[in-house]
């Protein structure tokens, strides 16, 4: 109905103009502008240019509003038509006004042509023509939506610096969302201060998490702390992924004590810290000169101040030492844990077992597992995986099958990496049990990767990304590797063995020969007193 009404009004306007001409009433500028406005809704382009030409024929000089109305009528045409009308306006000796630039920029914003919008924006700036606040806000929002947060924030800051009006909340929220999505730290800090501190607006939890990621990566602990306070105001339940960026930000800002206390704060909020949470602490200790010693000094100072040091922080130190290849320092940290009033947990032993794997130190692994038994810490999937990997570093690797069966007896599904390691070890040693391991692997729902299949097909000679070596190359490389490896392991074990005797008591020798089956088990495998050695009828154990 509205369309027919518009058409009716336009037709009546033309009929009225015809009556005026018949009666000798000369139309003026206002008459033609009103007639053009009646053509805007239906975008009657041909009729509009006819009216415009009739106006010129009568010697009536169009105004800027006339050209603006003509642009509106041509809004569905090619944008070049609007630019041609702009040229006509300038040729007539008129200067574009706020509405002119607003119409043109809006045309290009609809097409997401941000480059042309900026060109017109620059022209308006050069001529001192202020843009309408609605167009400014739309331009900023489109820039933010298109992934240009720096541009959006600069436009917003420039507008508010020269205008008495302020942008609305939606525009600033768009800038904040775009900046956090692109990890644009300056924009995040600027928009967060504007939205939260000045406008007292609480962003939703999803946006808060994105801001937290930016704060963590850019080492802005104050911003991260502000976001966590906002989450509390929202009534959100704090999780590990809320605190992890704060720990990362504090470590990046070299505020280690505060990062350590944040781990304890997580416990107070019933949030369990993970290895991912403490990884920034571990990275800091690895990447800083004497980082392990510096962090340990900080922990000692906190303990003397009566502050609680979480066991996961010490685990971060052990992890850093292991990754630096300094197992003796990791064991030294382990030995000093009682001085901080800390008892080792499962993660502590798992990180130490990782160091044992690197050095192929089976004896230390057995001692650590025995101490786990004394502390009544039950192995989990990650523990068993470490034990199996440690067994596979030895020439005699039968215990790997024992731990695999024990793992399954506990109702723990072995990971694909466990089967991969077993298959590779068996293939390298021409052990046919790799076929049984492959079958179990498939029964667990795992796929055999192309790399593993190539490794099996080559008999363990071809590794990923390598060409097949000649027989002489293999012999020479094997001799070289064994010599270097033996030297490295011997040197590392000499450094650690003396310390180990003080840290972990040696395993008790078997006192009785009455229990021959008990003596045949791996020394560190009997974790739970009530737990049997595991089923002996499973395929892998039977095959061994």
């Amino acid at each position: 109905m509205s369309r027919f009404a518009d058409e009716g009004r336009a037709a009546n306007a033309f009929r009225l103009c015809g009556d005026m001409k018949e009666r000798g009433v000369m139309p003026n500028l206002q008459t033609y502008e009103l007639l053009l406005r009646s053509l805007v809704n239906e975008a009657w382009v041909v009729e509009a240019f006819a009216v415009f030409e009739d106006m010129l024929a009568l010697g009536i000089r169009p105004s800027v509003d006339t050209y603006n109305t003509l642009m509106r009528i041509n809004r569905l045409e090619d944008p070049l038509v609007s630019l041609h009308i702009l040229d006509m306006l300038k040729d007539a000796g008129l200067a574009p006004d706020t509405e002119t630039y607003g119409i043109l920029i809006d045309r290009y914003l609809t097409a997401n042509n941000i480059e042309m919008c900026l060109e017109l924006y620059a022209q308006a700036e050069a001529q001192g023509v202020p843009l309408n606040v609605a167009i400014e806000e739309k331009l900023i929002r489109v820039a933010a939506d298109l992934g240009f947060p720096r541009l959006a924030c600069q436009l917003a800051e420039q507008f508010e610096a020269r205008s008495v009006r302020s942008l609305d909340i939606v525009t600033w929220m768009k800038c904040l969302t775009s900046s956090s999505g692109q990890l644009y730290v300056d924009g995040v800090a600027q928009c967060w201060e504007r939205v939260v501190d000045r406008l007292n607006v609480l962003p939703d939890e999803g946006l808060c998490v994105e801001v937290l990621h930016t704060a963590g990566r850019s080492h802005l602990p104050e911003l991260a702390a502000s976001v966590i306070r906002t989450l509390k105001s929202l009534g959100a339940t704090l999780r590990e992924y809320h605190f992890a960026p704060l720990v990362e930000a504090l470590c990046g800002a070299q505020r280690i004590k505060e990062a350590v206390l944040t781990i304890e704060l997580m416990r107070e909020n019933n949030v369990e810290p993970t290895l991912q949470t403490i990884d920034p602490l571990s990275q800091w200790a690895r990447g800083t000169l004497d980082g392990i010693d510096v962090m340990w000094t900080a922990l000692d100072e906190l303990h003397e101040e009566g502050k609680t040091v979480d066991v996961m922080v010490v685990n971060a130190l052990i992890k850093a030492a292991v990754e630096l290849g300094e197992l003796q320092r990791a064991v030294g940290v382990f030995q000093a844990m009682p001085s901080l009033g800390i008892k080792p947990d499962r993660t502590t032993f798992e990180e130490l077992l990782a160091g044992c794997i690197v050095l192929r130190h089976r004896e230390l692994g057995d001692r650590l597992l025995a101490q786990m038994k004394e502390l009544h810490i039950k192995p989990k999937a990650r523990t068993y995986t470490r034990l199996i990997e440690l067994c596979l570093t030895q020439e005699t690797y039968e215990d790997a099958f024992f731990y695999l069966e024990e793992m399954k007896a506990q109702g723990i599904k072995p990971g694909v990496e466990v089967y991969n390691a077993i298959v590779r070890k068996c293939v390298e040693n021409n052990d046919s049990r790799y076929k049984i391991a492959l079958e179990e692997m498939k029964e667990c729902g795992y796929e055999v990767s192309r790399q593993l299949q190539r490794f099996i097909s080559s008999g363990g000679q071809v590794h990923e990304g390598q060409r097949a070596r000649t027989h002489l190359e293999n012999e020479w490389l094997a001799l070289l590797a064994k010599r270097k490896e033996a030297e490295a392991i011997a040197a590392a074990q000499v450094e650690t063995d003396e310390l180990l005797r003080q840290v972990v008591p040696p395993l008790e020798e078997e006192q009785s020969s009455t229990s021959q089956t008990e003596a045949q088990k791996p020394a560190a495998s009997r974790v739970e007193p009530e737990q049997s050695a595991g089923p002996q009828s499973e395929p892998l154990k039977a095959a061994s």
Side-chain angles (χ1 to χ4, degrees):
M1 289 297 294
S2 61
R3 175 181 177 181
F4 291 118
D6 291 335
E7 291 179 354
R9 283 195 291 269
N12 289 334
F14 277 107
R15 189 178 300 110
L16 182 59
C17 288
D19 292 341
M20 290 174 63
K21 282 190 176 183
E22 290 178 0
R23 297 181 182 183
V25 180
M26 291 294 296
N28 57 16
L29 176 62
Q30 184 178 10
T31 305
Y32 280 107
E33 287 184 346
L34 290 172
L35 185 58
L36 286 173
R37 289 174 189 173
S38 69
L39 305 177
V40 170
N41 288 338
E42 289 302 314
W44 286 6
V45 176
V46 176
E47 291 79 359
F49 277 109
V51 171
F52 185 77
E53 290 175 0
D54 189 71
M55 178 182 179
L56 295 177
L58 289 178
I60 299 175
R61 187 170 182 265
S63 67
V64 176
D65 287 339
T66 307
Y67 290 100
N68 291 341
T69 304
L70 199 58
M71 286 183 187
R72 287 199 180 92
I73 297 172
N74 285 271
R75 66 185 179 277
L76 301 180
E77 302 300 314
D78 190 289
L80 293 177
V81 177
S82 297
L83 292 179
H84 176 65
I85 295 173
L86 177 64
D87 292 337
M88 291 168 54
L89 182 152
K90 293 178 179 179
D91 292 341
L94 301 174
D97 61 3
T98 298
E99 187 177 0
T100 308
Y101 283 111
I103 295 169
L104 288 170
I105 292 175
D106 189 58
R107 281 292 310 274
Y108 285 101
L109 285 176
T110 304
N112 289 334
N113 190 340
I114 195 72
E115 292 83 2
M116 195 62 196
C117 292
L118 292 176
E119 183 177 336
L120 293 167
Y121 181 86
Q123 291 181 18
E125 286 285 309
Q127 296 176 18
V129 179
L131 293 182
N132 184 282
V133 63
I135 292 298
E136 287 266 12
E137 289 176 342
K138 189 173 182 180
L139 175 59
I140 294 169
R141 292 177 190 176
V142 170
D145 289 338
L146 292 177
F148 300 110
R150 185 188 299 272
L151 172 62
C153 292
Q154 288 176 349
L155 290 173
E157 194 68 26
Q158 184 176 351
F159 174 80
E160 294 216 340
R162 68 167 184 245
S163 175
V164 295
R165 296 189 59 179
S166 298
L167 298 171
D168 61 12
I169 295 174
V170 176
T171 303
W172 281 112
M173 288 293 289
K174 286 274 190 182
C175 292
L176 178 59
T177 303
S178 180
S179 297
S180 61
Q182 299 287 332
L183 299 177
Y184 173 47
V185 58
D186 292 338
V188 169
Q190 170 193 351
C191 296
W192 183 267
E193 187 271 339
R194 176 80 61 168
V195 170
V196 177
D197 297 338
R198 295 193 195 179
L199 301 178
N200 295 319
V201 176
L202 297 179
D204 58 50
E205 184 177 353
L207 183 53
C208 286
V209 171
E210 288 193 350
V211 174
L212 272 174
H213 290 164
T214 305
R217 288 170 179 263
S218 304
H219 308 154
L220 299 176
E222 286 78 13
L223 177 59
S226 175
V227 177
I228 290 179
R229 288 194 296 270
T230 301
L231 286 168
K232 289 183 177 180
S233 301
L234 288 171
T237 303
L238 294 179
R239 306 289 187 187
E240 184 275 338
Y241 53 81
H242 294 139
F243 286 99
L246 176 58
V247 176
E248 183 180 5
L250 288 168
C251 289
Q254 310 298 317
R255 292 157 63 172
I256 300 303
K257 286 187 176 181
E258 294 176 62
V260 171
L261 294 175
T262 301
I263 303 297
E264 182 59 27
L265 179 64
M266 293 176 65
R267 299 280 191 188
E268 294 174 2
N269 285 273
N270 298 318
V271 178
E272 186 77 17
T274 66
L275 284 171
Q276 287 72 28
T277 316
I278 64 168
D279 191 59
L281 286 165
S282 183
Q283 289 182 9
W284 186 90
R286 283 200 320 268
T288 306
L289 184 64
D290 297 329
I292 295 177
D293 295 332
V294 173
M295 186 177 291
W296 181 263
T297 302
L299 299 185
D300 197 37
E301 292 174 356
L302 288 172
H303 181 67
E304 291 177 357
E305 295 170 5
K307 305 291 179 57
T308 302
V309 177
D310 195 88
V311 64
M312 288 300 289
V313 178
V314 181
N315 292 340
L317 272 180
I318 294 174
K319 184 173 185 287
V322 169
E323 290 175 348
L324 288 172
E326 299 183 6
L327 182 58
Q328 66 275 16
R329 300 192 71 185
V331 176
V333 174
F334 173 72
Q335 179 186 16
M337 289 179 73
S339 66
L340 297 178
I342 301 174
K343 291 183 178 180
D345 63 359
R346 184 180 299 105
T347 303
T348 309
F349 289 101
E350 289 172 350
E351 293 305 318
L352 288 169
L353 284 172
C356 295
I357 293 170
V358 174
L359 291 181
R360 305 188 176 189
H361 205 314
R362 174 66 189 275
E363 181 186 356
L364 175 58
D366 289 342
R367 293 180 186 179
L368 291 171
L369 194 58
Q371 192 159 359
M372 284 184 67
K373 174 184 174 181
E374 293 175 5
L375 295 174
H376 303 289
I377 299 175
K378 291 187 64 175
K380 295 294 185 182
R382 191 164 177 260
T383 320
Y384 279 115
T385 300
R386 290 275 197 269
L387 288 169
I388 292 171
E389 290 176 350
L390 178 57
C391 292
L392 293 175
T393 63
Q394 309 297 303
E395 291 186 7
T396 302
Y397 54 91
E398 295 302 318
D399 290 343
F401 299 110
F402 172 81
Y403 288 124
L404 177 64
E405 299 306 325
E406 187 175 278
M407 186 179 187
K408 293 187 291 184
Q410 295 295 319
I412 301 173
K413 181 181 177 181
V416 65
E417 67 277 5
V418 173
Y419 286 112
N420 272 329
I422 291 176
V423 169
R424 287 175 178 273
K425 186 69 173 181
C426 290
V427 171
E428 287 175 348
N429 288 273
N430 198 25
D431 188 339
S432 61
R433 284 178 291 181
Y434 81 87
K435 298 178 182 178
I436 303 175
L438 277 177
E439 289 300 321
E440 284 195 14
M441 183 178 178
K442 294 176 182 177
E443 288 173 4
C444 290
Y446 301 129
E447 293 185 2
V448 180
S449 65
R450 293 182 180 178
Q451 292 86 352
L452 182 59
Q453 190 60 56
R454 284 200 299 268
F455 186 83
I456 296 170
S457 301
S458 68
Q461 299 301 313
V462 177
H463 298 266
E464 294 81 354
Q466 296 180 349
R467 64 173 177 85
R469 298 192 184 100
T470 65
H471 177 67
L472 290 176
E473 284 178 327
N474 282 326
E475 285 190 353
W476 184 82
L477 290 172
L479 289 172
L480 180 64
K482 284 184 178 179
R483 184 168 65 251
K484 289 186 175 180
E485 184 179 292
E487 292 173 356
I489 292 175
Q493 289 188 356
V494 166
E495 293 178 356
T496 57
D497 280 346
E498 184 60 33
L499 181 58
L500 294 177
R501 292 189 185 94
Q502 302 174 9
V503 178
V504 186
L507 294 176
E508 296 181 358
E509 297 181 356
E510 308 300 335
Q511 298 293 329
S512 174
S513 59
T514 58
S515 179
Q516 294 298 327
T517 55
E518 185 72 9
Q520 291 173 358
K521 297 179 185 178
S525 65
R526 298 178 292 281
V527 179
E528 296 295 335
E530 70 278 7
Q531 180 180 313
S532 66
Q536 301 296 320
S537 58
E538 295 290 340
L540 286 177
K541 192 64 182 177
S544 66

